[in-house]
Each structure stands twice: as C-alpha cells, then as structure tokens.
Amino acid sequence: MPLGSVPEQAMTTPLRFHVLIGPPSSGRTTLMRHLVGRLKAGGRNAIGLPITEQHLKELEAMFPWSLLAGKAAAQAPLAALPMGGGGPVELVIDGVATTRAQRLRIMQILDPGRPVEWIGWWLHTPLETCHRWSSRGKTSSRTHEKVDHAFRQLTDRWALPSIEEGFSALVHLDLSLIHISEPTRPIIR
C-alpha cells in the first residue's frame, strides 16, 4: 500500500515496536509469545515477529532502500501494517539484537515510514540459566558457543543496550527470578 493511501490518522498514530534483547535461550521467544498474548487480550493489534540473521539478510536484499535514512519510506515493507479500532499496532520482535549495530539494523530495516515508539526489553538471564534452558531442546557445543558469544556481546560496555539508541523505554528483566506473567503486568495496560 503506497504511503499516500494510508489514512492520515494512521500516519499520526504511532506504532509500538518491542525489541527483545538477550542471548539465545534467555527467554526471548517465551516473552514474545507472552507479550503478544497479553496485548491481544487487552484488545491491541499485536504481532510476534521472530527474526533470524537470515531473515535480516533477506529483508535487506528485498528492501535495500530501508537502509537509507528517509529514502523511499513510502515503499517501506511495514507501511501497510493493519490499523484497528484498538489503537496502534504492537510488533514484538524476537531477533538477533545482542549488539548495538544489530539493534540499529533492525530499526532501520523495519522502519515503516511513520512514527514508531520503540521499547527495548533487555533480558538479563544469567549465563548458567541460558545454558540450562538451551539443554531442554537440541543441545550441542555449538549452541553453547552461540549463547556464550551473545552473552559476551551483551556485557561489552560498547554494546550495552541504551535509551540513546532510540528506545522510548528500556525494560530490564531477569526471567530466571520471576514468573513470566509478573514482569508485564504493571507495564502493559
């Protein structure tokens, strides 16, 4: 849908995109499912979007203009996100976001060409817990290596998630300490 055919109210109603930040097996996918369910139960238009590195490469190949600030925003792939009576669309993104560059890349690729409120959910799940949770499924030394690598990236002082990246809010969570329904109750209304 070309930008010109989007109703004016949709252009001024901000979308809310949640970016889940954490290493593999930190609870990102579980949190994504929970957030989408809670948002839908509250009457919101919520969509869960799991993104892998391969998905990002495919999106960049399909929509290379999204990497150019303000260029061809009318053709941005998310310009046609549905707007319902429940208010803004809430997109919950579960993807490769352990470095600042990866988070900024997601924000650039998913730029819909209209106002977006970005919310970061930083999962501080301990490394030992990530290893234990990764052992529930298919486990391999490579899985543990990926967890270790992502965990190290998130502890690098230059890669720490920050409000300055463009987030309206940055929520800190350790899902190993709380029941999944507790962290979202006061935040999502």
Side-chain angles (χ1 to χ4, degrees):
M1 171 187 312
L3 193 60
S5 63
V6 176
E8 189 173 322
Q9 179 188 8
M11 289 301 297
T12 59
T13 304
L15 302 170
R16 185 174 293 145
F17 289 1
H18 304 264
V19 179
L20 308 183
I21 305 162
S25 301
S26 62
R28 285 189 335 256
T29 303
T30 300
L31 181 60
M32 177 191 69
R33 290 181 187 136
H34 180 75
L35 283 173
V36 168
R38 294 278 309 219
L39 291 165
K40 285 183 176 182
R44 306 260 180 113
N45 299 318
I47 301 167
L49 182 64
I51 297 181
T52 64
E53 181 64 28
Q54 184 59 36
H55 290 133
L56 287 175
K57 288 178 183 175
E58 290 170 7
L59 284 170
E60 284 176 334
M62 289 169 35
F63 307 105
W65 57 80
S66 65
L67 297 176
L68 305 171
K71 190 75 170 166
Q75 299 171 351
L78 298 178
L81 277 173
M83 296 299 292
V89 169
E90 306 250 0
L91 185 64
V92 182
I93 304 157
D94 172 14
V96 182
T98 54
T99 67
R100 181 166 290 159
Q102 290 167 332
R103 292 186 294 275
L104 294 175
R105 185 171 163 213
I106 287 171
M107 292 168 131
Q108 289 174 341
I109 290 172
L110 297 181
D111 178 8
R114 57 195 225 219
V116 175
E117 178 184 11
W118 291 92
I119 299 173
W121 295 78
W122 185 4
L123 281 69
H124 293 276
T125 309
L127 181 60
E128 302 77 31
T129 304
C130 293
H131 283 177
R132 191 173 69 249
W133 288 352
S134 73
S135 297
R136 292 180 188 167
K138 292 181 180 178
T139 185
S140 68
S141 60
R142 184 172 170 108
T143 302
H144 284 299
E145 288 173 14
K146 285 182 179 182
V147 170
D148 292 345
H149 179 70
F151 194 86
R152 279 192 307 276
Q153 287 180 316
L154 276 169
T155 56
D156 178 350
R157 70 181 189 144
W158 300 109
L160 297 176
S162 168
I163 201 93
E164 287 82 17
E165 294 175 34
F167 293 114
S168 299
L170 187 58
V171 181
H172 298 254
L173 294 173
D174 179 350
L175 295 182
S176 68
L177 298 177
I178 50 182
H179 188 272
I180 189 68
S181 65
E182 294 173 5
T184 57
R185 188 165 285 131
I187 297 162
I188 306 228
R189 299 170 235 233

